[in-house]
Amino acid sequence: MRAVDIIEKKRDGKILSDEEIKFLLKNYLKGSIPDYQISAFLMAVYFKGMSDEELKSFTTEMINSGDIIDFKGTHKFLVDKHSTGGVGDKTTIALAPVLGALGMGTAKLSGKGLGHTGGTIDKFESIKGFKFSETREELIKLVNETGIGIMGYSDKIVPMDKKLYSLRDVTGTVSSIPLIASSIMSKKLAVHADAIILDVKVGSGAFMKTFEEAKKLAETMYKLGKLFHRNIVCMLSNMDEPLGYAVGNSLEVIEAIETLKGRGPKKFQDLIVKLSAQALKMKGDVKTLEEGIIIVEEVISSGRALTNLKKFIQASGGNPEICEDYSLLEVAKEVTPYLATEDGYISHIAADEIGRAAMMLGAGRATKDDIIDHSVGLVMKAKIGSYVKKGDTVLNFYHKGNLTENIVEVVKSALKYSKEKVQEKEIILEIIGG
Ligand code: URA
């Protein structure tokens, strides 16, 4: 078998066999097929796509390139909720304690983030003393006690993805639906969870900017999940504005805690409740989402979900008192409002630009070696559909004296106003397989 023949076959739109895909990826991982041939192959996939069978073979090889994680020793129904990422996405911090209080477990690998703010790991690390489980035994113990099982990504899981993604990044092939789907799903399928819930974000702050693109990706990932016989649901959710109000690590932790107290932003609360209700449905505890919603609302209003978060923080070395006294979290002292420049309804918020402003304040990493400042960020005071008068506060910057003209300009250019009333979008746009 020769790599060039396989590349030509794909280029000409023919279907590759399992053996051909295996040959290409195995030898690439070993170093016996060079980057330039795999680059050409990725470009051929970009233009010709992949059949279901090819996608399954490709994803199988990705999964088999590394370790498989199981949570043997836990006796819970394990849920892996994954979001494709967006601005102000603090979902896991609120969702995992709710699932735990419902008797389920989170089985999740989380990364340190690149971009506007940190990832889930960085967000939890804004709690002084907090440390994630480093051993499997610690993790299993925590899952059994609290239902919250989150650990850092290891390079040993799907190492092929890292290698391929670096190449895609410099060859214009990141935005191929089968390549994105296999990249995300291989990492999900390498972890043994009982249910996979994918939250595919759509909009200006998301990887997928349009509903059509996001739906195509969600359908492909759903199909892959089914091809691997997994219990999977994909939700499409709106990311045309930051999720909730807070963007920044400590600020987002506070907002997630407020949500567990029933005082969170309405749409974020709605997302948490529906994701949790969906998990109950996948477990088979309820028949409809509506039944699940009633149970989830009770678990939040009774304070059980918050108590569970406190237990998790304590067991992870943090002070659970932060849930009652936010001054125990590091939040930047300098607060500067950004004021509306005209009267009108907020009609557009370029969420990615709002995220960029938070990153420029120090909340996120531009490169993987940057150090995050957990205390900085911003909190929106107006969202799409809000009516503001010129001079009203649209958001507050939390900073350390480093708020530059540049950052203010980024926010200014992110906002549009309209004289006409603006319709708000629902947070959940569609559910596939629910
Ligand atoms: N996220 C991933 O993990 N992989 C992609 O290809 C795109 C987004």
Side-chain angles (χ1 to χ4, degrees):
M1 226 179 264
R2 295 191 318 158
V4 63
D5 299 328
I6 301 173
I7 296 166
E8 283 176 6
K9 195 169 167 187
K10 185 80 257 179
R11 179 200 66 193
D12 296 340
K14 300 197 179 110
I15 305 286
L16 301 181
S17 69
D18 188 49
E19 289 68 34
E20 285 166 327
I21 290 174
K22 258 197 194 131
F23 172 84
L24 213 55
L25 293 189
K26 275 206 168 36
N27 285 299
Y28 179 51
L29 198 61
K30 272 203 302 206
S32 49
I33 292 184
D35 280 354
Y36 56 80
Q37 283 191 304
I38 297 298
S39 301
F41 170 74
L42 293 171
M43 190 56 86
V45 170
Y46 181 91
F47 284 113
K48 300 293 178 183
M50 278 191 200
S51 71
D52 290 358
E53 282 310 308
E54 286 177 309
L55 193 57
K56 188 172 179 202
S57 300
F58 191 82
T59 308
T60 303
E61 267 325 289
M62 302 262 289
I63 299 167
N64 291 342
S65 69
D67 289 356
I68 305 287
I69 306 287
D70 69 53
F71 288 79
K72 276 202 189 96
T74 63
H75 309 290
K76 305 211 179 206
F77 182 84
L78 297 175
V79 180
D80 187 354
K81 187 281 306 172
H82 174 82
S83 145
T84 55
V87 181
D89 191 352
K90 72 273 303 169
T91 306
T92 300
I93 304 170
L95 182 71
V98 174
L99 296 180
L102 289 165
M104 292 183 269
T106 295
K108 194 172 161 48
L109 306 180
S110 281
K112 291 207 168 231
L114 259 189
H116 355 99
T117 60
T120 300
I121 291 211
D122 298 295
K123 286 173 196 177
F124 271 116
E125 283 178 354
S126 22
I127 302 168
K128 227 164 100 202
F130 189 102
K131 263 180 91 59
F132 274 94
S133 316
E134 279 178 358
T135 66
R136 205 178 164 281
E137 289 66 36
E138 273 175 21
L139 185 82
I140 300 293
K141 186 163 173 278
L142 216 47
V143 177
N144 284 333
E145 283 171 13
T146 65
I148 306 176
I150 304 170
M151 61 192 257
Y153 259 114
S154 129
D155 285 348
K156 293 189 176 140
I157 296 153
V158 199
M160 178 80 79
D161 180 57
K162 206 164 176 199
K163 220 166 139 94
L164 283 180
Y165 196 90
S166 313
L167 212 50
R168 287 166 58 202
D169 210 18
V170 293
T171 54
T173 51
V174 165
S175 61
S176 149
I177 298 276
L179 295 179
I180 302 171
S182 58
S183 162
I184 295 176
M185 284 303 290
S186 59
K187 289 173 281 186
K188 299 292 100 191
L189 295 163
V191 176
H192 281 170
D194 298 299
I196 300 172
I197 305 181
L198 296 179
D199 176 9
V200 180
K201 304 284 189 199
V202 190
S204 59
F207 190 59
M208 293 281 132
K209 305 289 181 207
T210 70
F211 183 79
E212 290 68 32
E213 274 179 313
K215 186 158 178 188
K216 228 192 274 170
L217 175 62
E219 284 171 345
T220 309
M221 292 196 291
Y222 178 76
K223 194 164 57 187
L224 255 177
K226 287 289 174 198
L227 285 169
F228 282 86
H229 310 291
R230 292 298 196 93
N231 188 2
I232 180 169
V233 164
C234 293
M235 287 191 174
L236 290 152
S237 73
N238 182 30
M239 190 40 87
D240 264 337
E241 56 186 349
L243 185 59
Y245 298 109
V247 185
N249 299 280
S250 291
L251 296 166
E252 291 186 39
V253 169
I254 294 172
E255 191 163 81
I257 295 169
E258 282 292 290
T259 304
L260 295 180
K261 293 178 181 173
R263 305 194 295 238
K266 195 177 152 302
K267 286 186 191 168
F268 179 57
Q269 189 104 21
D270 194 28
L271 181 70
I272 296 298
V273 168
K274 289 191 176 139
L275 285 169
S276 310
Q278 185 63 57
L280 279 175
K281 194 169 165 223
M282 293 170 89
K283 181 169 179 249
D285 281 2
V286 295
K287 289 215 160 40
T288 65
L289 214 53
E290 291 66 32
E291 272 179 76
I293 287 172
I294 294 168
I295 297 173
V296 174
E297 283 175 343
E298 195 279 327
V299 130
I300 295 175
S301 64
S302 65
R304 284 199 284 142
L306 182 65
T307 303
N308 202 32
L309 176 64
K310 287 181 185 170
K311 251 202 291 189
F312 176 64
I313 293 174
Q314 178 134 44
S316 307
N319 178 0
E321 274 304 302
I322 61 122
C323 296
E324 304 303 335
D325 179 358
Y326 298 141
S327 72
L328 296 172
L329 278 163
E330 205 204 332
V331 174
K333 297 280 179 297
E334 288 194 52
V335 182
T336 307
Y338 174 84
L339 306 178
T341 52
E342 52 187 282
D343 294 354
Y345 294 93
I346 305 268
S347 61
H348 177 79
I349 300 176
D352 46 355
E353 292 297 288
I354 297 291
R356 192 154 73 90
M359 186 176 81
M360 289 161 86
L361 287 172
R365 299 181 181 86
T367 69
K368 73 177 175 20
D369 297 323
D370 287 351
I371 300 209
I372 270 188
D373 185 339
H374 293 99
S375 72
V376 300
L378 51 90
V379 177
M380 307 289 304
K381 293 287 162 193
K383 299 290 291 280
I384 291 178
S386 305
Y387 183 77
V388 290
K389 283 197 150 316
K390 184 173 176 182
D392 283 353
T393 300
V394 176
L395 60 83
N396 281 318
F397 293 107
Y398 288 74
H399 61 101
K400 295 229 175 113
N402 60 337
L403 178 63
T404 59
E405 269 306 307
N406 229 348
I407 298 174
V408 174
E409 268 311 304
V410 167
V411 167
K412 187 173 180 197
S413 67
L415 299 167
K416 288 200 180 112
Y417 306 80
S418 155
K419 296 289 171 219
E420 309 295 322
K421 221 170 169 135
V422 175
Q423 197 64 37
E424 286 182 60
K425 277 192 193 152
E426 290 289 320
I427 186 79
I428 292 175
L429 306 169
E430 191 165 326
I431 299 178
I432 298 170

